[in-house]
Structure formats: C-alpha cells, structure tokens
Amino acid sequence: MSNQYTFQTNLLHNKHKFDPATGGVSVPIQHASTFHQHDIDTFGKYDYSRSGNPTREALEEVIAELEEGCRGFAFSSGMAAISTAFLLLSKDDHVVISEDVYGGTFRMVSQVLTRFGISHTFVDMTDLEAIKQAIQPNTKLFYVETPSNPLLKVTDIKAVSDLAKEIGALTFVDNTFLTPAIQKPLTLGADIVLHSATKFLSGHSDVVAGLAVVKDPILAERLYFLQNSFGAVLGVQDAWLVLRGLKTLHVRLEHSVQAAEKLANFFKDHPLVSKVYYPGLADHPQYDIQQAQASSAGAVLSFDLKNEAVFRTFVENVKIPVFAVSLGAVESILSYPAKMSHAAMPEKERAQRGITNSLLRLSVGLENPEDLIKDFSDALNKVKQ
Ligand SMILES: *Cc1c(COP(=O)(O)O)cnc(C)c1O
C-alpha cells in the first residue's frame, strides 16, 4: 500500500506510478470517447468517456488518496466541481455559507441556486454563534472556504462539521488555498472537499480543472450520478496536466510557503502597508486554529495599502509578479480582488466584508523571495512622501 509513505512520497509512489500495461512512467492519455464491448450482455469497465475514462480516473484516484477520501471526481473547472456538488441539494433546501467566499461561488449561490428554490445565508464562519443563528429548519449544507478569499479568515473545520452533524447537514470545504499538502478537511469531519485544480494542484497557470473528493461511499455514488448526469467532466489532456503538476506539489508549496512567511513579515513592517492578512502571523485572529488544523498557513496573503494613491504607485511600479486573476502558480500572481475575483460582488457587499479598493492579494510563486522583497520595496519607495 502506498500510504505507508509520507504525503511527499505518495505524490510519486502511488497506484499510478507506472502504467501496468507498458511500464510507462507516466499515465497514458486515453482519448477514446467510446469503448468496444466484447459481450452484448455485460459491458466492460469503460463504455463512454463521460461516464468513465482511465486517464481521468487515474487523477480521481490520486486526489482521493491524497485527501484521504473514498472517491475522487474530476471536473472541467473548479466551478463545475462546486456547482455539481451543490446539485446534491434540492428545492427548498438552505445553505449556510462563508461570507467572503470565492466570487464565482458567490454568484452561483446568489444568482443561480436561488432560481431553483435553494436559499442561503452568508455568515462570518469564524463566528460559531453567527453560524448557529443562521441555521434554519431546512439547512442542509455548511459551505466553508478556509482560509477565505481574499481576507484569509480561518474557519474551524471540525467545529463547523460537528455542528452540521448535529442538525443532519453536510459540510463542504473548498480546499483550493491549502491543498491536501497542508490541510485535509475530510479528516476533520467534512463530507466533501472541493478544489479549483487550476491553482496549486496543477500549479503552472496552464490548465483549468476542478476536483471533488467524498468521504462516504453512499454520498460518492450520488455525486458520481450527478457528475455523469450534468456531464462537466475534465478532458483527458487536462487530467494529465493536473497529474503532472501534482508530482511537484510538495516542493512547490514548501518553497512558496516559506517565501510567503518572509513576505508577510516584510509587509507587516512596512509603513505604507496598513494591514496584512496572513494566518501565519501570530497576531492573526485565528492563528491558533490554523496551527491546529493545518501544517502551515499557505502561500497566499493579502495586504491593504495605506490609501489609493499608494496602491496605484505600487501597482504601476512592481515588476516581478504577473498582475492577474488566479493564484497557486510557479510565478507570483498579484491580484486586485475588488476588480478581479470579487468583481461579481456588489460594491456595498464588498465594503462590508473589508475588500477595499486598496487591497491586493499575492500568491507567492517560486521566485527567490529576496528578489520579490526588493521589487516590492522599490515600488513602495516610488511613493511621494
Ligand atoms: C479559482 C477558484 C475557484 C473556481 O475555480 P475555477 O477553476 O476557476 O473554476 C473556486 N474556489 C477558489 C477558492 C478559487 O480560488
């Protein structure tokens, strides 16, 4: 069994280390959409690639093992994974959801699910009392993103899952920001873990993909039914790219997390930065929870610049990171939540959540952190005092 090894080694020495048919040290890409059947009464394991494909299945097995779930599912995007998981709900169900959830999830819940009679309450998931207050007789799901985007608020996954179990609701956790290299929500009581594999899991800004891992076999059957019914499956080339990216997940994150820690401290000490959001800083309000439920604070941080003038000068002069949406790549990515990830959120809602017009989010890549610090420092030095 491969799980006698550590996570780091399991990334390489898992069931798909080599192809059993040829010994090839890379999962073969099976392009076939349909599969010849030898017997008119009993079909083989694969019949049609929406329903099952060996390349996609390899990725699904690898992620299931890494997240310590019973079954994995690969989708055409993170939003396809998330939306398909939401289809486990029915008309008249209610969702309690993190208030600073990913913009696309916010849009799905507030503008799509509502049309199908599924209601929601956005809450500050760091506040257990607020979660309890939000519970309704028809609450069927607690939807958690931790650390949250872009303010890196940390939710106690075990406490929320326990609360969900008390009322017979499910808990979904979007684990995109940390990946199973750092945090394993299913081991803390969650029922489904969701990923935008576009980010750290694939890691090279060259594929859009989503994953879901389920803990319980009965729930897994239900999600499989939905994956096959809705049909938003991941293509085989993209499944292969995610499998390749996964092999370096540990080394990439190890470097990026260390660099993020350095950068968080640099920003914390800079006079033109008014606030740093990073759960690895000892003064982060949920520092202890993060320490208890994850092995590090991850490679994403946000910081608020002193005012909009400082913000503009900084963005105009910074050179190394790409200025873009997305995160979790080999190159550092600087993004502007107000106009990018959270553009779908009305300004009033954004302001209420602390997503100001001078807030930037940084996903730290594989550059030498000293080069990044120099770049950021030079850009801030351009501000006229
Ligand atoms: C990017 C992202 C998503 C959406 O994933 P896509 O692959 O872009 O569809 C969902 N959740 C989080 C936290 C993300 O960062």
Side-chain angles (χ1 to χ4, degrees), residues 209-248:
L211 295 169
V213 182
V214 182
K215 190 153 153 185
D216 165 73
I218 295 167
L219 192 61
E221 261 316 307
R222 289 177 59 207
L223 190 62
Y224 172 70
F225 179 83
L226 289 166
Q227 182 193 37
N228 193 33
S229 303
F230 202 64
V233 293
L234 187 62
V236 292
Q237 299 275 2
D238 291 342
W240 187 87
L241 279 168
V242 179
L243 279 164
R244 185 165 76 166
L246 274 171
K247 294 183 185 189
T248 55

mmCIF file of all heavy atoms in Angstrom, residues 209-248:
data_model
loop_
_atom_site.group_PDB
_atom_site.id
_atom_site.type_symbol
_atom_site.label_atom_id
_atom_site.label_comp_id
_atom_site.label_asym_id
_atom_site.label_seq_id
_atom_site.Cartn_x
_atom_site.Cartn_y
_atom_site.Cartn_z
ATOM 1 N N ALA A 209 -9.210 23.305 -14.206
ATOM 2 C CA ALA A 209 -9.725 21.999 -13.786
ATOM 3 C C ALA A 209 -10.314 22.082 -12.387
ATOM 4 O O ALA A 209 -9.957 22.973 -11.611
ATOM 5 C CB ALA A 209 -8.593 20.963 -13.799
ATOM 6 N N GLY A 210 -11.208 21.162 -12.074
ATOM 7 C CA GLY A 210 -11.798 21.106 -10.742
ATOM 8 C C GLY A 210 -11.823 19.680 -10.221
ATOM 9 O O GLY A 210 -11.848 18.724 -11.009
ATOM 10 N N LEU A 211 -11.777 19.547 -8.894
ATOM 11 C CA LEU A 211 -11.806 18.215 -8.286
ATOM 12 C C LEU A 211 -12.741 18.221 -7.087
ATOM 13 O O LEU A 211 -12.908 19.252 -6.420
ATOM 14 C CB LEU A 211 -10.405 17.804 -7.820
ATOM 15 C CG LEU A 211 -9.337 17.619 -8.903
ATOM 16 C CD1 LEU A 211 -7.963 17.489 -8.265
ATOM 17 C CD2 LEU A 211 -9.638 16.400 -9.760
ATOM 18 N N ALA A 212 -13.314 17.054 -6.833
ATOM 19 C CA ALA A 212 -14.096 16.865 -5.609
ATOM 20 C C ALA A 212 -13.681 15.529 -5.028
ATOM 21 O O ALA A 212 -13.410 14.579 -5.770
ATOM 22 C CB ALA A 212 -15.589 16.854 -5.932
ATOM 23 N N VAL A 213 -13.604 15.451 -3.707
ATOM 24 C CA VAL A 213 -13.342 14.173 -3.044
ATOM 25 C C VAL A 213 -14.383 13.987 -1.952
ATOM 26 O O VAL A 213 -14.674 14.912 -1.190
ATOM 27 C CB VAL A 213 -11.920 14.092 -2.447
ATOM 28 C CG1 VAL A 213 -11.691 12.724 -1.803
ATOM 29 C CG2 VAL A 213 -10.857 14.358 -3.506
ATOM 30 N N VAL A 214 -14.937 12.776 -1.908
ATOM 31 C CA VAL A 214 -16.021 12.472 -0.985
ATOM 32 C C VAL A 214 -15.535 11.444 0.036
ATOM 33 O O VAL A 214 -14.747 10.564 -0.287
ATOM 34 C CB VAL A 214 -17.240 11.923 -1.770
ATOM 35 C CG1 VAL A 214 -18.404 11.654 -0.832
ATOM 36 C CG2 VAL A 214 -17.643 12.890 -2.867
ATOM 37 N N LYS A 215 -16.040 11.583 1.243
ATOM 38 C CA LYS A 215 -15.601 10.696 2.309
ATOM 39 C C LYS A 215 -16.416 9.403 2.360
ATOM 40 O O LYS A 215 -15.882 8.327 2.577
ATOM 41 C CB LYS A 215 -15.763 11.429 3.641
ATOM 42 C CG LYS A 215 -15.123 10.727 4.799
ATOM 43 C CD LYS A 215 -14.771 11.755 5.819
ATOM 44 C CE LYS A 215 -14.731 11.220 7.209
ATOM 45 N NZ LYS A 215 -14.489 12.332 8.136
ATOM 46 N N ASP A 216 -17.722 9.533 2.124
ATOM 47 C CA ASP A 216 -18.624 8.410 2.352
ATOM 48 C C ASP A 216 -19.050 7.780 1.019
ATOM 49 O O ASP A 216 -19.419 8.495 0.090
ATOM 50 C CB ASP A 216 -19.839 8.981 3.105
ATOM 51 C CG ASP A 216 -21.011 8.034 3.101
ATOM 52 O OD1 ASP A 216 -20.928 7.032 3.821
ATOM 53 O OD2 ASP A 216 -21.979 8.288 2.358
ATOM 54 N N PRO A 217 -19.015 6.442 0.917
ATOM 55 C CA PRO A 217 -19.307 5.781 -0.366
ATOM 56 C C PRO A 217 -20.726 6.045 -0.895
ATOM 57 O O PRO A 217 -20.918 6.117 -2.110
ATOM 58 C CB PRO A 217 -19.135 4.285 -0.069
ATOM 59 C CG PRO A 217 -18.458 4.188 1.247
ATOM 60 C CD PRO A 217 -18.610 5.490 1.962
ATOM 61 N N ILE A 218 -21.714 6.214 -0.008
ATOM 62 C CA ILE A 218 -23.082 6.442 -0.493
ATOM 63 C C ILE A 218 -23.185 7.839 -1.110
ATOM 64 O O ILE A 218 -23.744 8.029 -2.195
ATOM 65 C CB ILE A 218 -24.111 6.230 0.643
ATOM 66 C CG1 ILE A 218 -24.081 4.752 1.069
ATOM 67 C CG2 ILE A 218 -25.524 6.632 0.205
ATOM 68 C CD1 ILE A 218 -24.801 4.452 2.360
ATOM 69 N N LEU A 219 -22.592 8.816 -0.420
ATOM 70 C CA LEU A 219 -22.570 10.181 -0.964
ATOM 71 C C LEU A 219 -21.763 10.202 -2.271
ATOM 72 O O LEU A 219 -22.108 10.915 -3.221
ATOM 73 C CB LEU A 219 -21.969 11.137 0.074
ATOM 74 C CG LEU A 219 -22.122 12.629 -0.196
ATOM 75 C CD1 LEU A 219 -23.590 13.028 -0.262
ATOM 76 C CD2 LEU A 219 -21.414 13.448 0.888
ATOM 77 N N ALA A 220 -20.710 9.405 -2.317
ATOM 78 C CA ALA A 220 -19.879 9.326 -3.533
ATOM 79 C C ALA A 220 -20.711 8.810 -4.706
ATOM 80 O O ALA A 220 -20.600 9.330 -5.827
ATOM 81 C CB ALA A 220 -18.669 8.424 -3.288
ATOM 82 N N GLU A 221 -21.549 7.820 -4.484
ATOM 83 C CA GLU A 221 -22.428 7.303 -5.543
ATOM 84 C C GLU A 221 -23.343 8.416 -6.045
ATOM 85 O O GLU A 221 -23.570 8.547 -7.250
ATOM 86 C CB GLU A 221 -23.303 6.161 -5.003
ATOM 87 C CG GLU A 221 -22.806 4.755 -5.318
ATOM 88 C CD GLU A 221 -22.319 4.562 -6.751
ATOM 89 O OE1 GLU A 221 -23.071 4.888 -7.703
ATOM 90 O OE2 GLU A 221 -21.179 4.096 -6.923
ATOM 91 N N ARG A 222 -23.873 9.200 -5.129
ATOM 92 C CA ARG A 222 -24.778 10.294 -5.516
ATOM 93 C C ARG A 222 -24.032 11.362 -6.319
ATOM 94 O O ARG A 222 -24.561 11.902 -7.290
ATOM 95 C CB ARG A 222 -25.422 10.930 -4.271
ATOM 96 C CG ARG A 222 -26.453 10.020 -3.593
ATOM 97 C CD ARG A 222 -27.016 10.666 -2.329
ATOM 98 N NE ARG A 222 -27.652 11.948 -2.600
ATOM 99 C CZ ARG A 222 -27.767 12.948 -1.729
ATOM 100 N NH1 ARG A 222 -27.291 12.812 -0.499
ATOM 101 N NH2 ARG A 222 -28.372 14.061 -2.066
ATOM 102 N N LEU A 223 -22.786 11.647 -5.924
ATOM 103 C CA LEU A 223 -22.040 12.660 -6.671
ATOM 104 C C LEU A 223 -21.632 12.111 -8.041
ATOM 105 O O LEU A 223 -21.637 12.831 -9.041
ATOM 106 C CB LEU A 223 -20.807 13.138 -5.886
ATOM 107 C CG LEU A 223 -20.126 14.366 -6.505
ATOM 108 C CD1 LEU A 223 -21.066 15.575 -6.543
ATOM 109 C CD2 LEU A 223 -18.856 14.742 -5.768
ATOM 110 N N TYR A 224 -21.324 10.827 -8.102
ATOM 111 C CA TYR A 224 -20.999 10.218 -9.401
ATOM 112 C C TYR A 224 -22.196 10.335 -10.352
ATOM 113 O O TYR A 224 -22.054 10.687 -11.523
ATOM 114 C CB TYR A 224 -20.579 8.744 -9.249
ATOM 115 C CG TYR A 224 -20.450 8.122 -10.619
ATOM 116 C CD1 TYR A 224 -19.395 8.497 -11.470
ATOM 117 C CD2 TYR A 224 -21.412 7.243 -11.118
ATOM 118 C CE1 TYR A 224 -19.313 8.011 -12.761
ATOM 119 C CE2 TYR A 224 -21.329 6.754 -12.411
ATOM 120 C CZ TYR A 224 -20.277 7.144 -13.228
ATOM 121 O OH TYR A 224 -20.208 6.676 -14.508
ATOM 122 N N PHE A 225 -23.373 10.056 -9.827
ATOM 123 C CA PHE A 225 -24.603 10.158 -10.628
ATOM 124 C C PHE A 225 -24.742 11.576 -11.198
ATOM 125 O O PHE A 225 -25.074 11.770 -12.372
ATOM 126 C CB PHE A 225 -25.802 9.796 -9.737
ATOM 127 C CG PHE A 225 -27.124 9.886 -10.456
ATOM 128 C CD1 PHE A 225 -27.585 8.835 -11.244
ATOM 129 C CD2 PHE A 225 -27.919 11.024 -10.343
ATOM 130 C CE1 PHE A 225 -28.800 8.923 -11.915
ATOM 131 C CE2 PHE A 225 -29.129 11.126 -11.014
ATOM 132 C CZ PHE A 225 -29.571 10.067 -11.803
ATOM 133 N N LEU A 226 -24.436 12.567 -10.359
ATOM 134 C CA LEU A 226 -24.535 13.964 -10.813
ATOM 135 C C LEU A 226 -23.428 14.326 -11.803
ATOM 136 O O LEU A 226 -23.664 15.045 -12.773
ATOM 137 C CB LEU A 226 -24.487 14.909 -9.610
ATOM 138 C CG LEU A 226 -25.742 14.888 -8.738
ATOM 139 C CD1 LEU A 226 -25.478 15.580 -7.410
ATOM 140 C CD2 LEU A 226 -26.910 15.548 -9.470
ATOM 141 N N GLN A 227 -22.220 13.826 -11.564
ATOM 142 C CA GLN A 227 -21.118 14.104 -12.493
ATOM 143 C C GLN A 227 -21.483 13.580 -13.890
ATOM 144 O O GLN A 227 -21.318 14.256 -14.898
ATOM 145 C CB GLN A 227 -19.826 13.432 -12.008
ATOM 146 C CG GLN A 227 -18.620 13.727 -12.912
ATOM 147 C CD GLN A 227 -17.432 12.816 -12.631
ATOM 148 O OE1 GLN A 227 -17.599 11.628 -12.333
ATOM 149 N NE2 GLN A 227 -16.240 13.373 -12.708
ATOM 150 N N ASN A 228 -22.044 12.369 -13.912
ATOM 151 C CA ASN A 228 -22.415 11.750 -15.183
ATOM 152 C C ASN A 228 -23.656 12.413 -15.787
ATOM 153 O O ASN A 228 -23.767 12.544 -16.998
ATOM 154 C CB ASN A 228 -22.638 10.251 -14.952
ATOM 155 C CG ASN A 228 -22.719 9.486 -16.260
ATOM 156 O OD1 ASN A 228 -22.062 9.833 -17.244
ATOM 157 N ND2 ASN A 228 -23.542 8.447 -16.274
ATOM 158 N N SER A 229 -24.578 12.857 -14.938
ATOM 159 C CA SER A 229 -25.803 13.489 -15.437
ATOM 160 C C SER A 229 -25.534 14.888 -15.985
ATOM 161 O O SER A 229 -26.018 15.253 -17.041
ATOM 162 C CB SER A 229 -26.836 13.635 -14.311
ATOM 163 O OG SER A 229 -27.123 12.404 -13.748
ATOM 164 N N PHE A 230 -24.771 15.654 -15.218
ATOM 165 C CA PHE A 230 -24.506 17.044 -15.604
ATOM 166 C C PHE A 230 -23.433 17.090 -16.689
ATOM 167 O O PHE A 230 -23.484 17.935 -17.582
ATOM 168 C CB PHE A 230 -24.097 17.844 -14.363
ATOM 169 C CG PHE A 230 -24.315 19.312 -14.507
ATOM 170 C CD1 PHE A 230 -25.589 19.816 -14.669
ATOM 171 C CD2 PHE A 230 -23.247 20.190 -14.499
ATOM 172 C CE1 PHE A 230 -25.795 21.182 -14.826
ATOM 173 C CE2 PHE A 230 -23.437 21.551 -14.654
ATOM 174 C CZ PHE A 230 -24.720 22.051 -14.814
ATOM 175 N N GLY A 231 -22.454 16.209 -16.570
ATOM 176 C CA GLY A 231 -21.502 15.999 -17.661
ATOM 177 C C GLY A 231 -20.343 16.970 -17.764
ATOM 178 O O GLY A 231 -19.652 16.999 -18.784
ATOM 179 N N ALA A 232 -20.075 17.748 -16.699
ATOM 180 C CA ALA A 232 -18.977 18.729 -16.771
ATOM 181 C C ALA A 232 -17.641 18.075 -16.407
ATOM 182 O O ALA A 232 -16.934 18.507 -15.505
ATOM 183 C CB ALA A 232 -19.285 19.908 -15.846
ATOM 184 N N VAL A 233 -17.294 17.001 -17.134
ATOM 185 C CA VAL A 233 -16.094 16.229 -16.782
ATOM 186 C C VAL A 233 -14.829 16.889 -17.332
ATOM 187 O O VAL A 233 -14.874 17.673 -18.280
ATOM 188 C CB VAL A 233 -16.186 14.780 -17.313
ATOM 189 C CG1 VAL A 233 -17.286 14.013 -16.592
ATOM 190 C CG2 VAL A 233 -16.389 14.757 -18.827
ATOM 191 N N LEU A 234 -13.691 16.512 -16.738
ATOM 192 C CA LEU A 234 -12.403 17.059 -17.178
ATOM 193 C C LEU A 234 -11.918 16.288 -18.408
ATOM 194 O O LEU A 234 -11.979 15.059 -18.437
ATOM 195 C CB LEU A 234 -11.381 16.936 -16.037
ATOM 196 C CG LEU A 234 -10.023 17.608 -16.276
ATOM 197 C CD1 LEU A 234 -10.173 19.117 -16.464
ATOM 198 C CD2 LEU A 234 -9.075 17.325 -15.126
ATOM 199 N N GLY A 235 -11.401 17.015 -19.399
ATOM 200 C CA GLY A 235 -10.827 16.367 -20.576
ATOM 201 C C GLY A 235 -9.525 15.653 -20.229
ATOM 202 O O GLY A 235 -8.878 15.961 -19.231
ATOM 203 N N VAL A 236 -9.144 14.695 -21.070
ATOM 204 C CA VAL A 236 -8.008 13.831 -20.722
ATOM 205 C C VAL A 236 -6.656 14.539 -20.754
ATOM 206 O O VAL A 236 -5.780 14.244 -19.936
ATOM 207 C CB VAL A 236 -7.979 12.554 -21.597
ATOM 208 C CG1 VAL A 236 -9.159 11.669 -21.241
ATOM 209 C CG2 VAL A 236 -7.969 12.875 -23.086
ATOM 210 N N GLN A 237 -6.481 15.466 -21.697
ATOM 211 C CA GLN A 237 -5.195 16.192 -21.722
ATOM 212 C C GLN A 237 -5.029 16.990 -20.433
ATOM 213 O O GLN A 237 -3.950 17.051 -19.850
ATOM 214 C CB GLN A 237 -5.166 17.196 -22.890
ATOM 215 C CG GLN A 237 -5.291 16.581 -24.258
ATOM 216 C CD GLN A 237 -3.942 16.118 -24.811
ATOM 217 O OE1 GLN A 237 -2.917 16.230 -24.156
ATOM 218 N NE2 GLN A 237 -3.972 15.577 -26.009
ATOM 219 N N ASP A 238 -6.131 17.616 -20.017
ATOM 220 C CA ASP A 238 -6.086 18.428 -18.810
ATOM 221 C C ASP A 238 -5.917 17.556 -17.563
ATOM 222 O O ASP A 238 -5.226 17.939 -16.621
ATOM 223 C CB ASP A 238 -7.341 19.302 -18.714
ATOM 224 C CG ASP A 238 -7.345 20.396 -19.792
ATOM 225 O OD1 ASP A 238 -6.270 20.669 -20.354
ATOM 226 O OD2 ASP A 238 -8.419 20.956 -20.068
ATOM 227 N N ALA A 239 -6.543 16.373 -17.568
ATOM 228 C CA ALA A 239 -6.363 15.453 -16.436
ATOM 229 C C ALA A 239 -4.878 15.087 -16.319
ATOM 230 O O ALA A 239 -4.303 15.055 -15.229
ATOM 231 C CB ALA A 239 -7.213 14.195 -16.626
ATOM 232 N N TRP A 240 -4.241 14.865 -17.463
ATOM 233 C CA TRP A 240 -2.817 14.519 -17.459
ATOM 234 C C TRP A 240 -1.973 15.686 -16.926
ATOM 235 O O TRP A 240 -1.045 15.490 -16.147
ATOM 236 C CB TRP A 240 -2.386 14.138 -18.882
ATOM 237 C CG TRP A 240 -0.991 13.622 -18.942
ATOM 238 C CD1 TRP A 240 -0.585 12.334 -18.760
ATOM 239 C CD2 TRP A 240 0.193 14.391 -19.167
ATOM 240 N NE1 TRP A 240 0.778 12.263 -18.857
ATOM 241 C CE2 TRP A 240 1.286 13.505 -19.110
ATOM 242 C CE3 TRP A 240 0.443 15.740 -19.410
ATOM 243 C CZ2 TRP A 240 2.608 13.925 -19.285
ATOM 244 C CZ3 TRP A 240 1.757 16.165 -19.574
ATOM 245 C CH2 TRP A 240 2.821 15.254 -19.517
ATOM 246 N N LEU A 241 -2.317 16.892 -17.336
ATOM 247 C CA LEU A 241 -1.565 18.061 -16.845
ATOM 248 C C LEU A 241 -1.686 18.201 -15.325
ATOM 249 O O LEU A 241 -0.721 18.541 -14.645
ATOM 250 C CB LEU A 241 -2.052 19.343 -17.524
ATOM 251 C CG LEU A 241 -1.484 19.609 -18.912
ATOM 252 C CD1 LEU A 241 -2.238 20.735 -19.597
ATOM 253 C CD2 LEU A 241 0.011 19.939 -18.836
ATOM 254 N N VAL A 242 -2.882 17.941 -14.792
ATOM 255 C CA VAL A 242 -3.039 18.036 -13.333
ATOM 256 C C VAL A 242 -2.211 16.938 -12.660
ATOM 257 O O VAL A 242 -1.522 17.188 -11.667
ATOM 258 C CB VAL A 242 -4.524 17.963 -12.903
ATOM 259 C CG1 VAL A 242 -4.646 18.042 -11.384
ATOM 260 C CG2 VAL A 242 -5.340 19.084 -13.547
ATOM 261 N N LEU A 243 -2.252 15.715 -13.240
ATOM 262 C CA LEU A 243 -1.445 14.622 -12.670
ATOM 263 C C LEU A 243 0.039 15.002 -12.661
ATOM 264 O O LEU A 243 0.753 14.740 -11.699
ATOM 265 C CB LEU A 243 -1.625 13.340 -13.488
ATOM 266 C CG LEU A 243 -2.876 12.521 -13.177
ATOM 267 C CD1 LEU A 243 -3.143 11.508 -14.290
ATOM 268 C CD2 LEU A 243 -2.741 11.793 -11.832
ATOM 269 N N ARG A 244 0.505 15.631 -13.724
ATOM 270 C CA ARG A 244 1.914 16.009 -13.767
ATOM 271 C C ARG A 244 2.214 17.097 -12.736
ATOM 272 O O ARG A 244 3.212 17.024 -12.024
ATOM 273 C CB ARG A 244 2.340 16.478 -15.151
ATOM 274 C CG ARG A 244 3.839 16.730 -15.145
ATOM 275 C CD ARG A 244 4.429 16.849 -16.490
ATOM 276 N NE ARG A 244 4.133 18.148 -17.077
ATOM 277 C CZ ARG A 244 4.754 18.620 -18.139
ATOM 278 N NH1 ARG A 244 5.671 17.892 -18.739
ATOM 279 N NH2 ARG A 244 4.445 19.798 -18.610
ATOM 280 N N GLY A 245 1.330 18.080 -12.655
ATOM 281 C CA GLY A 245 1.538 19.148 -11.688
ATOM 282 C C GLY A 245 1.591 18.622 -10.257
ATOM 283 O O GLY A 245 2.400 19.078 -9.440
ATOM 284 N N LEU A 246 0.737 17.640 -9.967
ATOM 285 C CA LEU A 246 0.666 17.103 -8.602
ATOM 286 C C LEU A 246 1.997 16.540 -8.117
ATOM 287 O O LEU A 246 2.293 16.569 -6.924
ATOM 288 C CB LEU A 246 -0.394 15.997 -8.544
ATOM 289 C CG LEU A 246 -1.827 16.446 -8.299
ATOM 290 C CD1 LEU A 246 -2.785 15.270 -8.493
ATOM 291 C CD2 LEU A 246 -1.973 17.010 -6.887
ATOM 292 N N LYS A 247 2.795 16.016 -9.049
ATOM 293 C CA LYS A 247 4.055 15.375 -8.631
ATOM 294 C C LYS A 247 4.975 16.355 -7.909
ATOM 295 O O LYS A 247 5.767 15.953 -7.061
ATOM 296 C CB LYS A 247 4.777 14.787 -9.840
ATOM 297 C CG LYS A 247 4.006 13.637 -10.465
ATOM 298 C CD LYS A 247 4.780 13.010 -11.614
ATOM 299 C CE LYS A 247 3.911 11.939 -12.276
ATOM 300 N NZ LYS A 247 4.657 11.149 -13.252
ATOM 301 N N THR A 248 4.893 17.635 -8.251
ATOM 302 C CA THR A 248 5.778 18.629 -7.621
ATOM 303 C C THR A 248 5.047 19.479 -6.569
ATOM 304 O O THR A 248 5.590 20.481 -6.112
ATOM 305 C CB THR A 248 6.379 19.577 -8.689
ATOM 306 O OG1 THR A 248 5.302 20.157 -9.427
ATOM 307 C CG2 THR A 248 7.321 18.838 -9.625
#
